[in-house]
Amino acid sequence: GASGAIFGTVAVTWIDLFAHWKYQYRPVRKLVLMTIELLIGIAVGFIPFVDNFVHLGGFLMGLLVGTTFYPVISTTKRHMLIIWFFRIIAIPLAIVLFVVLIRNFYTSNPYAACSWCRYLSCIPTSANNHCKGYVIY
C-alpha cells in the first residue's frame, strides 16, 4: 500500500514543525498530536500482515529526504549553518539506507541480516506464530 509514502509525508511535517518552531501556532500541541499520530500508525503495524518496516522506513527516508530538500526560513547565520549541517549528513545516510534496504530485499532470508528486526512488526505471544517470519523456501 501507500503507508510508506504516508509516513514519509508525516516525517516532512515533523521537519516543518522543528525547522519553523517559532513561526508555528501552538507548536507543543502540534508536537503532541503528531507524536500520537505516529504512535498509532506504528501500533497499526503490529496487526498481522501489516509491515512496520514500511512505516518506519518511510518515516526515516521522509526525515532524511525532507531534511535535504525542504525549504527552511533561516533568520540567523547559526540556524542556516545547522540546517546545512543536517543536510550534508542526511544525503549520505539516505543513500546508505537505500542501498542496505535494497540488498536485504533481494536476499533469500532478510531476517539473517537482523535477527531482532522481526519484532518491529509483531508482538510474540503464545497465541500467534507471526514472529517466525513469512519467508517461503
Side-chain angles (χ1 to χ4, degrees):
S3 60
I6 292 169
F7 271 78
T9 305
V10 168
V12 173
T13 61
W14 280 65
I15 296 291
D16 180 48
L17 178 67
F18 289 122
H20 303 116
W21 185 266
K22 66 181 180 179
Y23 301 113
Q24 298 284 342
Y25 175 72
R26 299 170 76 173
V28 175
R29 181 175 183 219
K30 283 185 181 181
L31 179 63
V32 169
L33 292 174
M34 289 168 56
T35 303
I36 292 169
E37 174 189 17
L38 181 65
L39 292 175
I40 289 171
I42 291 172
V44 167
F46 288 107
I47 296 172
F49 305 110
V50 177
D51 195 5
N52 252 348
F53 282 104
V54 175
H55 297 169
L56 298 173
F59 188 77
L60 185 58
M61 287 301 281
L63 283 177
L64 295 173
V65 174
T67 300
T68 305
F69 293 115
Y70 195 77
V72 177
I73 300 169
S74 295
T75 56
T76 65
K77 186 171 178 106
R78 180 177 180 267
H79 187 256
M80 184 177 62
L81 290 173
I82 291 169
I83 294 298
W84 277 101
F85 173 76
F86 280 120
R87 286 179 176 170
I88 290 170
I89 298 298
I91 293 170
L93 280 176
I95 293 169
V96 167
L97 179 66
F98 186 74
V99 168
V100 167
L101 290 175
I102 291 294
R103 185 189 66 85
N104 282 344
F105 182 77
Y106 286 107
T107 60
S108 61
N109 184 3
Y111 293 116
C114 178
S115 61
W116 60 270
C117 289
R118 70 184 67 203
Y119 300 112
L120 293 174
S121 288
C122 71
I123 299 173
T125 64
S126 60
N128 69 20
N129 61 354
H130 299 295
C131 292
K132 292 186 171 79
Y134 304 107
V135 179
I136 300 172
Y137 296 104

